[in-house]
Each structure stands twice: as C-alpha cells, then as structure tokens.
Amino acid sequence: MTRLRPETRLLPLAVALLSLAAQAQEGQGGRGAITPRFSLTQTWTDNLRLSDQNKDAALITTVSPGISVSRNSGTFRGSLDYSLNGISYLKTDVPSQIQNALSANLQAELLPQTLTVEAQANIARQNVSAFGQQANSVLGTGGVSPLSNLNSREVGSLTVSPQWRSQLGGLAAVSLRGNLAMTEVRGSALGDSRSTGATLQLTQLSPGILGWYAQASTQQMRPKLAQANRNSTLTLGANYRPDPDLALSANVGEERSNYLSASGEANDSRTWGVTGDWTPTSRTRLSANYQSHRYGDTRGLVFEHRMRNSVWRYSDTRSVIVGNSGSSGSVRTNYDLYSLLLTSVEPDPVKRDALVRAALQSLGLSPDAPVSQGFLSSGPSQTRSQQLSFTLQGVRTNVTAAATRTLSSRLGSGLNQGDLATNAFVEQRSYSLSGSYQLSPVSGLSLTASRQESQGDGTGRATQLTSWFANWNTRLGSGLSVQLGARHSRFESTAPYSENSVYGTVSQQF
C-alpha cells in the first residue's frame, strides 16, 4: 500500500487541529457543525491501465470515510472537508492505494480588530506533465482518480497568514501581514517548495475623495529542485474615489527580484501601476489593473454580473507564478469554479462553502474533480489565464458552462524544471458543460461533457482528452444517498486510449 511522505501527512493533521480548536469555542456563543460520513464506490472499467495496446478490464472498490466541519461565528470561523480514500482492485495485478482529498480554510480573530490569522489547506491531484497521460476523476467520489495513471500525483499545500492591525497616531492605519506556505508532492520532488514573506502597509485614515498609502513587501520561494526566487518592492500610491461605485488607484516604486537571473543575483528596477474598480449595481462588478515590471508586465480584467437566475463571469489575467502551474489565480476544480460563480450571491466564505457544496451535490459533481489541469514545475513563469463561465438556475434545471485558456511561458533561461524546461510555453485549454434536472424532491439526473487540450512549442507536444458523463442520484433516507453513473473518455496523443466505465456510490452522513 502506498504511504504518504511524513511532510505530506502533516497537512491534514495541521488543519484538523485548527478545526478542533475552533470547536472548542462552542461554549463562547459560536455555532459549528461536524458531519462525519462514509461512502462506498464500486467501479467497473474496460481500460484500467489507460492503454489501447494493453487493455485491462477491472473492478475497483473505493472506501471513503470523511468528515466535514463548519463554523460561521465566534473567534474561529471556517470550514473543512476531508476524505481518506482506500482503493483496491480485482481481476488485475495493480496494487491497492490510498488517496487523500482535503479542502479547508480558517479565519481566527485572536485579538479583536488587532490580530487575525488565516489558514488554507488543500490536497488534490495534479498532472506531472501537461503532455503525459491524462484521465478524469470519477464524479461523486471526492475527486478520487482510481485509474492507473503514472502522470498523476497527489499535491498538498498549506498556507498560514497572520495579520496585525493598528494605528499610527491619528494619521494612518498600519497593517503587517506575514505569509508562510508549503507545497508537497507525493512521489516526486518536482513541485515541492517553501515560501515566506511579509507585507507592511500604511493607509491614510478617513481619506475622503483623495487618499494615500505606502507599502513594502518581500517574498521568497525556495523550490526543492531549483534556486530560490526573491522579490521585494517598495511603493507609494494614491487612491481616488469620486463616488461609492468607483475606485481608482495609481502607484510608483522600486522593485528588486532575481526572476531573470540564472546566477540568483537580484536586480533593481522601477515599477508603476494603476487599478480601477467599478460596481454600478450590487449585482455587477468590473475591475482592472496593470503593473509594470522589469521581468514582464502583469495585468487583470474581471467582469461579473448576476441576474435573477444566472451568474456570468469573465476574467483575463497575466501574473508571475513561482512553482506549479495552475496553483495561483486560476480555476482548478469544480469547487473553485462554483465558488467564483457564487461569490456575488454569498460573500461570506463560510456560508458560501455550504452553498457551493449543496449545488455540486445536486449536480452529482465532485468538489475536488479538476476542471482544468496544471502541471508540476519549479522556477518562475508568466501565466496568462482567460476564463469565461456562467450558470443558469431554473425551477428544476441547472446549466453550468466554463471555458478556460492558460498560457504559461518560462522566465529566464535554465531556471525551470518540468515541461517549461523543454518548452518555451505551454498552452492549456479546457471546456465543460454540465446540466442537471431535478426528477423529484429527492432525485436528479445530470449530464456533463468536458474537453482538455494541451499544446507546447515542441514537435508532437499536444494532447486532447474528451469525456462524457451521465449521473443519477437520489436520497433514500436521512443522510443516505445513492449515485449511479457512466463515463466515456477518449485521449488523443502519441499514446492514445479510450475508456468506458460504470460506477455506483452509496454514501451515509451521520
């Protein structure tokens, strides 16, 4: 049986301890809930090894105990969802394995209006290479990937951000935020990293139409297989708010980074930028930003609009990422997508978490199943991510669609490991369309079509995965539910395959 590396085991343990601490606050007027669960999934596939040359039909049994913790008031607020998935195989020699799935966030106000701590943790699967074998997770099974895919790895991340707030006389508000982060990849050193940083910001008190701010920040990322990357900035800025619906800002400053240096030596440069945020109604938001850097300009454009029965969102961002592609600023899972779509509906993150999970359950979609796949990397890259998504909600019918394009380009020369070591750029596109119909108050049917494409600048560097899912779910009693589903997938590359499977899941919440 596969074992977790010691560093990776610390991730669910750390967040579980934080959640237990939150529950200890029950007697202080807060509200919380703990929901244990157990599910059993039986899958039959006609191609366990994902190879047209060596098809291996098999039965797969997945046992998944899990727990959900939520708390929406008191000193500690947050949510946690964790499952431990044991997978065994019949009629094949593929060994049994264990997979983890975790999504957690915590907000703790240790000193009212003064000291707060935010923590996020995640365990999910990610591709090693954008051009290796690709496979979809089984819907409704916590993002579990039971098929034999050597290109898939379990990636765990933990981020802790303490923040201290005060005032400098009666002139400015002072904010000091720290950032500690770690990423661990099971079975591979590629993608492992540690990150530390801090940001100090002074903001004018009671600014009126015009205001000022000053900010100093530093960040260092230490990948296990590459040199450390450092970035420090000092900026001065001005805010202009002519009315409550419109906010504008501009800044200038100095920056020091080694993103382009193979020797690790940092270089000084000028930086400047502008931002704008317009909210003409409570249901519409348009924001844009631009920042000039020596290593490559960054920018962002986000448009969101919510109507009575639909939510629309478009974003186009260009940013610098140090580490795994897709780990920052992009939609990676069904949960990420629905959380973005429902942000304007429910701004409170804890309440939104419950809303998102209820919507996914009604659709028969796994929260941790990937919408778009990244790839493992180390070193700096510039990523442009474009996303268009919408959801339509009817009395019995829901439709959700998403299209994503991500273009990752390496910075510097000889600084990257993984796909960006052999490709100047990697372009990934994903498309998904899901529809559900409520057959009765306790049962529903959902259909999903998805396509994922990857392309590089090297010869033969292209893949395409097309999948179709059908899923039926029903509730049999208090906390007891059943899901039945089928899937067809077709993968096109230098090693193509087709795969068909049927599966059934029985889940009990306690």
Side-chain angles (χ1 to χ4, degrees), residues 432-502:
S432 65
L433 176 64
S434 298
S436 69
Y437 182 75
Q438 200 71 21
L439 300 172
S440 72
V442 296
S443 65
L445 177 69
S446 65
L447 300 173
T448 300
S450 69
R451 173 173 290 184
Q452 298 175 5
E453 303 171 352
S454 297
Q455 183 175 352
D457 62 344
T459 303
R461 290 290 194 174
T463 64
Q464 178 178 291
L465 175 64
T466 304
S467 300
W468 298 83
F469 299 86
N471 190 77
W472 172 81
N473 64 85
T474 189
R475 296 194 307 273
L476 299 180
S478 177
L480 180 63
S481 62
V482 174
Q483 292 187 0
L484 300 176
R487 174 185 64 205
H488 170 73
S489 296
R490 180 64 190 173
F491 180 60
E492 301 289 346
S493 75
T494 55
Y497 73 83
S498 62
E499 187 260 348
N500 301 285
S501 65
V502 293

Side-chain angles (χ1 to χ4, degrees), residues 198-211:
T199 300
L200 175 64
Q201 187 173 48
L202 303 178
T203 306
Q204 181 184 353
L205 289 174
S206 304
I209 295 179
L210 286 174

Side-chain angles (χ1 to χ4, degrees), residues 176-198:
L176 176 62
R177 177 184 286 273
N179 183 276
L180 307 173
M182 61 179 288
T183 300
E184 293 285 348
V185 182
R186 186 164 75 171
S188 172
L190 178 63
D192 288 359
S193 65
R194 301 289 188 274
S195 176
T196 57

Side-chain angles (χ1 to χ4, degrees), residues 201-505:
Q201 187 173 48
L202 303 178
T203 306
Q204 181 184 353
L205 289 174
S206 304
I209 295 179
L210 286 174
W212 60 265
Y213 68 90
Q215 179 176 293
S217 66
T218 182
Q219 189 77 25
Q220 178 171 275
M221 170 78 79
R222 296 182 297 277
K224 184 169 290 186
L225 295 182
Q227 72 176 27
N229 296 111
R230 301 182 300 277
N231 179 267
S232 300
T233 60
L234 177 62
T235 58
L236 297 175
N239 297 319
Y240 176 58
R241 197 177 187 98
D243 62 67
D245 299 333
L246 179 63
L248 303 173
S249 178
N251 68 79
V252 295
E254 294 286 335
E255 187 171 34
R256 184 176 178 83
S257 71
N258 68 341
Y259 289 159
L260 300 178
S261 174
S263 65
E265 182 179 356
N267 297 292
D268 296 328
S269 61
R270 297 280 180 89
T271 181
W272 64 272
V274 292
T275 64
D277 195 279
W278 184 41
T279 53
T281 71
S282 61
R283 300 188 298 178
T284 305
R285 175 175 175 259
L286 176 65
S287 64
N289 66 80
Y290 175 87
Q291 193 74 32
S292 174
H293 302 280
R294 178 177 179 271
Y295 49 80
D297 299 338
T298 60
R299 65 173 184 263
L301 176 66
V302 177
F303 172 74
E304 297 174 348
H305 181 65
R306 177 169 52 91
M307 295 185 286
R308 182 177 180 181
N309 297 313
S310 65
V311 180
W312 301 76
R313 188 178 193 275
Y314 173 77
S315 67
D316 186 347
T317 61
R318 187 166 68 178
S319 58
V320 171
I321 294 176
V322 182
N324 296 333
S325 171
S327 63
S328 174
S330 64
V331 171
R332 292 179 57 190
T333 65
N334 286 327
Y335 182 92
D336 296 332
L337 172 62
Y338 275 76
S339 183
L340 284 172
L341 289 174
L342 298 177
T343 295
S344 58
V345 178
E346 178 52 73
D348 184 277
V350 178
K351 296 179 180 179
R352 186 170 65 250
D353 174 79
L355 191 64
V356 169
R357 295 187 184 280
L360 291 172
Q361 184 177 17
S362 68
L363 285 169
L365 298 178
S366 164
D368 304 300
V371 174
S372 59
Q373 290 276 16
F375 53 91
L376 299 183
S377 181
S378 60
S381 63
Q382 189 170 70
T383 298
R384 183 182 182 187
S385 180
Q386 298 169 288
Q387 300 164 3
L388 175 63
S389 56
F390 70 87
T391 180
L392 304 175
Q393 298 177 326
V395 177
R396 289 194 173 190
T397 305
N398 290 307
V399 177
T400 299
T404 302
R405 174 182 178 266
T406 302
L407 181 65
S408 301
S409 306
R410 66 185 178 212
L411 293 178
S413 178
L415 303 178
N416 297 89
Q417 301 290 329
D419 288 342
L420 290 178
T422 55
N423 293 266
F425 71 87
V426 176
E427 183 178 4
Q428 295 182 287
R429 297 179 296 272
S430 65
Y431 314 92
S432 65
L433 176 64
S434 298
S436 69
Y437 182 75
Q438 200 71 21
L439 300 172
S440 72
V442 296
S443 65
L445 177 69
S446 65
L447 300 173
T448 300
S450 69
R451 173 173 290 184
Q452 298 175 5
E453 303 171 352
S454 297
Q455 183 175 352
D457 62 344
T459 303
R461 290 290 194 174
T463 64
Q464 178 178 291
L465 175 64
T466 304
S467 300
W468 298 83
F469 299 86
N471 190 77
W472 172 81
N473 64 85
T474 189
R475 296 194 307 273
L476 299 180
S478 177
L480 180 63
S481 62
V482 174
Q483 292 187 0
L484 300 176
R487 174 185 64 205
H488 170 73
S489 296
R490 180 64 190 173
F491 180 60
E492 301 289 346
S493 75
T494 55
Y497 73 83
S498 62
E499 187 260 348
N500 301 285
S501 65
V502 293
Y503 50 89
T505 300

Side-chain angles (χ1 to χ4, degrees), residues 137-208:
S137 302
V138 173
L139 296 180
T141 58
V144 177
S145 181
L147 301 178
S148 183
N149 183 6
L150 298 178
N151 188 46
S152 177
R153 293 287 186 273
E154 191 171 277
V155 180
S157 62
L158 174 65
T159 302
V160 180
S161 301
Q163 184 178 21
W164 176 78
R165 294 189 297 266
S166 185
Q167 291 187 11
L168 185 62
L171 298 177
V174 181
S175 171
L176 176 62
R177 177 184 286 273
N179 183 276
L180 307 173
M182 61 179 288
T183 300
E184 293 285 348
V185 182
R186 186 164 75 171
S188 172
L190 178 63
D192 288 359
S193 65
R194 301 289 188 274
S195 176
T196 57
T199 300
L200 175 64
Q201 187 173 48
L202 303 178
T203 306
Q204 181 184 353
L205 289 174
S206 304

